[in-house]
Amino acid sequence: HGADGDGDGPIAADLAVRPRPLATLVPGRTDGELAHRISSGLVGLPMPGFATVLSEADRWDLVNHLRSGWGDGS
């Protein structure tokens, strides 16, 4: 999603479907939904799953990082 989460990371231009800005994704998702997406990826989209490369604790740390930067929509 790029350094600022705007969907403009270094490989975004080469993807058939560009990543959406995190500001439009994170607030509308529960922590569990975010953790699942991080773990499993998204079928039909270029987002891979990270369950095999990040520990469960690291995935939850990433959820907390997303919340700290892009809030919960409240």
Side-chain angles (χ1 to χ4, degrees):
H1 293 270
D4 296 321
D6 294 327
D8 60 354
I11 65 166
D14 296 330
L15 298 173
V17 178
R18 283 191 60 172
R20 288 178 40 203
L22 292 173
T24 67
L25 294 171
V26 174
R29 304 289 187 280
T30 67
D31 289 354
E33 288 171 322
L34 292 171
H36 178 73
R37 286 174 175 235
I38 292 165
S39 297
S40 301
L42 294 171
V43 175
L45 294 175
M47 181 171 164
F50 292 93
T52 61
V53 294
L54 295 176
S55 70
E56 183 175 359
D58 287 342
R59 295 190 309 266
W60 283 105
D61 285 345
L62 184 51
V63 169
N64 291 326
H65 172 73
L66 292 170
R67 288 287 177 228
S68 71
W70 293 276
D72 63 5
S74 332

